[in-house]
Amino acid sequence: LSPQATHATVRAALDHDGKLDGDVTLSGAPGSVQALSGNVNLTLNSLAFVELVTPEVANAKGRIAANYTIGGTTSAPQLIGALTLKEFGAELPSAGLKLHDGDIAVRATDADHFVLEGTLKSGDGTLTLAGTGGIAPNAPLKATIKGDNFLAADIPAAKVVISPDLTIERSDKNLTVGGSVTIPKTDVD
């Protein structure tokens, strides 16, 4: 007897009321191209683990949520959904920065493409991130980083505020970065 479907479930309780919930089903005869269906949902209410990964970040705060639907087949899987970072804040001691009010979302619009949107604040300024692209290594990508009075460094030897207007584009042949970075205020010792 050959099973026509295989089902897997994952459930985990994580620190600070976080959770991981997922269900995936493979349908069809084993050894053939099987249909995929399911979902994966992740909630992280604490980013304290970031400090374990890198000594360059301190006091990381915020929430991560990921909600994805799985479809397609084993030979052509599809993942549609979103990963969001809300209420992000962190200190970068080597640059003297305290990032705050970060909200960033990456949405998979289909199996091959994503959309990026977000904002991040430092000092009195804000960076705005936007872009679209493909997941494949040579897929086209276009992203912008725009900002106004974003505190980029605040150490005893220098305080630098920037207002970037950058475009990053990737084609199958090259990666291009263009635009400008205005420095409306700087104090260097």
Side-chain angles (χ1 to χ4, degrees), residues 132-147:
T132 59
I135 296 170
N138 293 329
L141 172 136
K142 183 173 184 178
T144 60
I145 302 171
K146 297 183 180 203

Side-chain angles (χ1 to χ4, degrees), residues 49-178:
F49 70 90
V50 173
E51 294 175 47
L52 300 173
V53 178
T54 176
E56 297 299 319
V57 176
N59 299 319
K61 297 182 180 6
R63 297 176 290 117
I64 294 176
N67 302 307
Y68 286 95
T69 299
I70 300 166
T73 65
T74 51
S75 63
Q78 295 181 356
L79 190 65
I80 298 173
L83 172 71
T84 58
L85 172 62
K86 295 282 191 183
E87 301 169 4
F88 175 71
E91 294 177 23
L92 304 175
S94 63
L97 297 182
K98 293 182 180 177
L99 305 175
H100 57 96
D101 297 324
D103 288 318
I104 300 171
V106 179
R107 290 181 287 112
T109 57
D110 59 35
D112 299 318
H113 299 91
F114 68 89
V115 173
L116 166 70
E117 300 171 315
T119 59
L120 180 63
K121 295 184 178 187
S122 178
D124 295 328
T126 302
L127 284 182
T128 301
L129 312 169
T132 59
I135 296 170
N138 293 329
L141 172 136
K142 183 173 184 178
T144 60
I145 302 171
K146 297 183 180 203
D148 189 40
N149 294 316
F150 187 82
L151 183 60
D154 191 6
I155 56 176
K159 182 173 184 176
V160 180
V161 174
I162 63 171
S163 295
D165 186 359
L166 300 172
T167 301
I168 302 163
E169 293 186 62
R170 178 182 68 191
S171 68
D172 60 347
K173 295 182 176 69
N174 59 27
L175 177 69
T176 306
V177 178

